[in-house]
Amino acid sequence: MSVETVRETARRPPRYDVLFEPVRIGPVTARNRFFQVPHCNGMGYRDVSAHAEMRKVKAEGGWAVICTEQAEIHYSSDITPFIEARIWDDKDVPALALVADKVHEHGALAGIELAYNGMNGPNFYSRTAPMGPAHLPVATFTTDPVQARRMDLDDIADLRRWHRAAVRRSIEAGYDLVYVYAGHALGGIHHFLSRRYNDRTDAYGGSAENRMRLLREILEDTLEEAAGRVAVACRITVDELLGDEGITRGDIEEVIGALGDLPDLWDFVLGAWEDDSVTARFGEEAEQERYVRGLKALTSKPVVGVGRFTSADTMVRMVRSGVLDLIGAARPSIADPYLPRKIEEGRFDDIRECIGCNICVAGDFTMSPIRCTQNPTMGEEWRRGWHPERIRPRASEAKVLVVGGGPAGLEAAQALGHRGYEVILAEASHALGGRAAAEARLPGLASYVRVADYREAQIERLRTVERAQSEVSADEILGYDFDHVAVATGARWRADGVGRHHTAPIPLDPALPVLTPDDLMAGRLPEGERVVVFDDDHYYMGGVLAELLARAGRRVALVTPAHAVSNWTLATMEQHRIQRRLLELEVEIVASRAVAATVADGVLTRCVFTDRERHLPADAAVLVTARLPEDALYRELLERRAEWDDANLRTVQAVGDCWSPGTIAAAVWEGRRYAEELEEPTDRGDTVPFRREVTGIDRSS
Ligand code: ADP
Ligand code: SF4
């Protein structure tokens, strides 16, 4: 960061030294215990340089091992529409080699997660029939009308040959560690291990010994192919959380008992991906510990595992208590690519702790480059040249006023402060954080406060940024001497029902109290017993407020035009858990209906298919539909442009929700963009403002 940061020259307390011991993994040595496990990123084979640069920054940040996401080993393992890495043939080697090279530039080991998706891939791109242990519909996130066909012994021999070829290519591409992936219900080997998918009666089905046969064979092939040149890791689900219908702890103890010393490293994961990467709403740090504990004793090889670890003390406990040898991280490494270095240097206040929101996962689910609520530079390292720890020095001695201390204003102020700009951050309320602080008071969202805490701590240590607790007006701004003003005054929830379903206000009977999420976040709960929550937002807010109200003793009905609660959270892998929680709290779920109007004693709901109306009794309604920018100040400043010259004011820009209401991640990103681009030449969208790679044209025929 810039020289303006005031930083005590801290050193880490010796109790953390254990985290910086090297660990031998077969023929290679990890320089410390920080291990970035494979994670998807929505860039994969499409955004090759962007992907490579993202991994490079983590190597710079001190991780000992950096892995790719799953790399499809064969065209018949095509997980379209998801964008992962590919190693189908030699054509894919240069792209993967670039990632390995970038990781090596900063002294880390490069790992590749070879995956045969089997019945987890619909093969829409390659159009071949997927293969699995049984004739079953594919187990994809999108319930595709595709069946996997049962593999016969020739198919198994093919798969083993393809896997070997992928290992060979991985070595050629420069990887130090090659994965055999048997985890997360994402690949063929997992499906063979699990009773849920494996009903075979041949040598590959039935007993645990038979179900692990394919794993054993592929591990042996991989080790033979590796021939001591690279390490071989095995990633495996330790419990499928399905009782006797899936992979049980007993199965896994048998597997590790039999194969424990085959691979050079075990990577233990839990259940399917959605069980392993739960949001903070549904799982604490080190959630996996109770499932992984005890397995290390069954092998002489090192063990890595995850747990959304951000606390150095928890990491030390994992090592000291013999649960893990290597601290695995996907999300904590996304939120803070420099996590190891910060712990190494004792800079604990500088850690950007993951908030467990899974916006990063949503990048993968929406096939767009990974983004992160806490780390706005994620996915922008190559595209825009952003760096999580560095930003270019200021272009002038200009003074900047940032109005509003929510996620956008905080990020803009801290990033501008690091650039060396003189910044005043004006916030009307006594506390910083805006919506992040308000939402953190809702059930399960406490970790959202980390968005504010990290930035507030940075600002406190910057000499360049001053805080002012005041609600500033346009008059005041034009009376001061600022060169630039960023207006980050946020947004408010609408109270008129306008959103996705209704694009015009709905009839509201004044006799029925109507509240918005802002009211509930300010502590105003409806007085009556029966409350209808109309969720036309479809992200987390509607479900969270239904939970809040149910916990406060109200009888809640959640009405949504979607077919399921909080439907967009499919992309953050929490929809199932949200709906289960609400049902357990006795929330009545009224799906595929919209609130069409309020009446004195309830609401009228309308079926989205038939338009049939029904009366739903209620004492109050909460409308969770859409938001409007709080942009009065911004608009007034624009209207008074004629006065800018006299005030030496050069630019005024709305940032974050005030510009366009969105996610917290989007607001933080906008704040960063403002700071990155201040006093840089820009146009009004006439040129693409980021780098991208376009498909090369094949002229070979
Ligand atoms: P974003 O997500 O875009 O950062 P938030 O709604 O979280 O937006 O934050 C907006 C912040 O701006 C709130 O903390 C609010 O108190 C503050 N604010 C709004 N208007 C003013 C103003 N005129 N002067 C100072 N602070 C303001
Ligand atoms: Fe953590 Fe959210 Fe960032 Fe993902 S997007 S790394 S869950 S803060």
Side-chain angles (χ1 to χ4, degrees), residues 297 316 457 595 678:
V316 169
V595 168
L678 188 71

Side-chain angles (χ1 to χ4, degrees), residues 685-700:
D686 297 314
T687 49
V688 179
F690 50 84
R691 290 203 282 176
R692 70 197 170 111
E693 274 159 344
V694 291
T695 308
I697 298 170
D698 186 347
R699 297 190 189 279
S700 60

Side-chain angles (χ1 to χ4, degrees), residues 29 44 104 155 248 265 347 372 404 514-515 530 532 541 567 580 585 597 620 665:
T29 301
H104 289 154
D155 295 319
T248 62
L265 172 79
R347 292 162 47 206
C372 170
V514 166
L515 294 95
R530 297 164 306 174
V532 164
M541 186 56 79
N567 207 34
R580 182 171 69 199
L585 287 166

Side-chain angles (χ1 to χ4, degrees), residues 331-332 334-335 353-360 371-374:
R331 290 174 292 175
I334 294 166
E353 288 185 288
C354 167
I355 69 166
C357 62
N358 280 5
I359 278 290
C360 50
R371 65 205 64 214
C372 170
T373 301
Q374 275 286 57

Side-chain angles (χ1 to χ4, degrees), residues 369-632:
I370 187 168
R371 65 205 64 214
C372 170
T373 301
Q374 275 286 57
N375 174 12
T377 69
M378 181 46 52
E380 300 289 17
E381 302 85 350
W382 180 83
R383 293 203 325 172
R384 292 178 190 261
W386 294 3
H387 190 282
E389 304 301 314
R390 292 192 292 272
I391 190 164
R392 77 176 75 75
R394 63 183 177 173
S396 76
E397 296 191 351
K399 290 200 278 295
V400 189
L401 172 68
V402 177
V403 186
L410 281 170
E411 176 62 19
Q414 74 97 18
L416 286 168
H418 281 300
R419 286 192 67 182
Y421 281 103
E422 207 179 301
V423 181
I424 303 280
L425 172 63
E427 165 55 52
S429 66
H430 68 280
L432 292 175
R435 66 180 284 207
E439 292 182 21
R441 292 190 288 273
L442 296 173
L445 302 187
S447 60
Y448 283 29
V449 81
R450 292 174 171 182
V451 174
D453 287 350
Y454 163 73
R455 291 171 175 81
E456 197 172 342
Q458 293 293 304
I459 284 168
E460 263 164 29
R461 303 216 314 276
L462 280 165
R463 290 200 197 93
T464 40
V465 185
E466 230 179 85
R467 275 176 59 177
Q469 192 200 324
S470 76
E471 174 155 3
V472 291
S473 63
D475 276 344
E476 282 168 316
I477 292 172
L478 291 166
Y480 298 143
D481 186 20
F482 289 104
D483 301 270
H484 305 286
V485 176
V487 186
T489 45
R492 67 183 179 282
W493 286 91
R494 302 182 71 127
D496 56 5
V498 170
R500 242 182 213 96
H501 191 82
H502 304 290
T503 51
I506 60 174
L508 297 174
D509 187 323
L512 191 89
V514 166
L515 294 95
T516 69
D518 292 318
D519 296 323
L520 271 67
M521 283 190 276
R524 282 192 295 281
L525 293 194
E527 276 170 16
E529 196 202 346
R530 297 164 306 174
V531 185
V532 164
V533 175
F534 176 43
D535 181 9
D536 193 24
D537 170 60
H538 308 286
Y539 193 18
Y540 56 85
M541 186 56 79
V544 167
L545 294 183
E547 183 178 342
L548 173 85
L549 290 162
R551 289 189 191 284
R554 304 300 193 278
R555 272 169 50 204
V556 184
L558 187 146
V559 179
T560 174
H563 68 279
V565 166
S566 299
N567 207 34
W568 197 76
T569 62
L570 284 169
T572 52
M573 300 197 303
E574 3 164 42
Q575 196 285 324
H576 188 88
R577 284 179 167 76
I578 294 172
Q579 188 137 351
R580 182 171 69 199
R581 178 169 288 176
L582 295 190
L583 289 169
E584 282 168 0
L585 287 166
E586 308 286 344
V587 171
E588 182 190 351
I589 290 167
V590 184
S592 304
R593 301 188 77 84
V595 168
T598 68
V599 288
D601 60 349
V603 301
L604 294 181
T605 69
R606 190 180 292 151
C607 171
V608 298
F609 301 109
T610 62
D611 285 341
R612 283 187 199 137
E613 286 194 356
R614 203 187 287 159
H615 177 260
L616 183 63
D619 304 311
V622 178
L623 301 182
V624 187
T625 58
R627 293 183 298 153
L628 283 171
E630 289 279 21
D631 60 358

